Amino acid sequence: MKLRILFLVIFSLLGCEYRGESKVSEELKWLLNADPKEDFEKSIASGDRRFVGVIGMFITVPYFDEECITDDKVRLIQISDMVDSYEQEKLQAIAPIYASTFNLYMLKHWNTHGIKPCDS
């Protein structure tokens, strides 16, 4: 009898595991169909010349000088330090690759137009 109760308690606790998608996963789903080159072209067309970075525990902005990061020069993709699911891990793995590709286009644009990262 005690063994049955123990098993019931264990299975009850296992059944309480959260299996839904996290807020971070929902917010990053756009990355699955994102096209960095197309997004870069849309940004330039709208006058937005910000680089893209990823923020979790640290901020990472590929091809951009760390000391020059400001809101008007960098747009950040929020990821989480606590990964809840494979889906979230996959999306968070895409984010820095997206940022790197997008920023390479932006860096070329800045260099072509003589824009310096630390210029105010």
Side-chain angles (χ1 to χ4, degrees):
M1 182 69 169
K2 289 181 183 179
L3 191 56
R4 276 190 197 165
I5 294 172
L6 178 64
F7 280 122
L8 285 172
V9 170
I10 290 172
F11 286 119
S12 296
L13 291 174
L14 290 175
C16 293
E17 182 180 334
Y18 176 72
R19 299 198 185 275
E21 290 190 24
S22 71
K23 181 181 175 192
V24 174
S25 293
E26 281 298 315
E27 292 174 356
L28 295 177
K29 278 192 174 183
W30 65 272
L31 286 167
L32 291 173
N33 298 310
D35 180 338
K37 184 174 185 183
E38 186 178 299
D39 293 346
F40 159 76
E41 290 168 353
K42 287 178 184 176
S43 289
I44 294 302
S46 70
D48 184 355
R49 298 188 298 190
R50 293 179 294 170
F51 279 67
V52 173
V54 177
I55 183 169
M57 185 177 282
F58 303 101
I59 295 176
T60 304
V61 185
Y63 304 111
F64 196 81
D65 190 354
E66 200 174 289
E67 295 95 41
C68 303
I69 295 174
T70 60
D71 289 341
D72 63 324
K73 293 183 181 164
V74 176
R75 178 171 46 98
L76 296 172
I77 299 171
Q78 177 73 50
I79 62 173
S80 176
D81 301 332
M82 301 295 291
V83 178
D84 296 333
S85 66
Y86 171 72
E87 179 72 13
Q88 183 181 351
E89 188 170 359
K90 179 172 61 174
L91 293 168
Q92 290 192 177
I94 295 170
I97 297 167
Y98 172 88
S100 183
T101 305
F102 181 96
N103 289 355
L104 187 56
Y105 291 115
M106 191 61 73
L107 179 63
K108 290 177 184 177
H109 176 80
W110 278 38
N111 287 340
T112 300
H113 292 86
I115 304 168
K116 303 290 182 209
C118 291
D119 288 350
S120 50

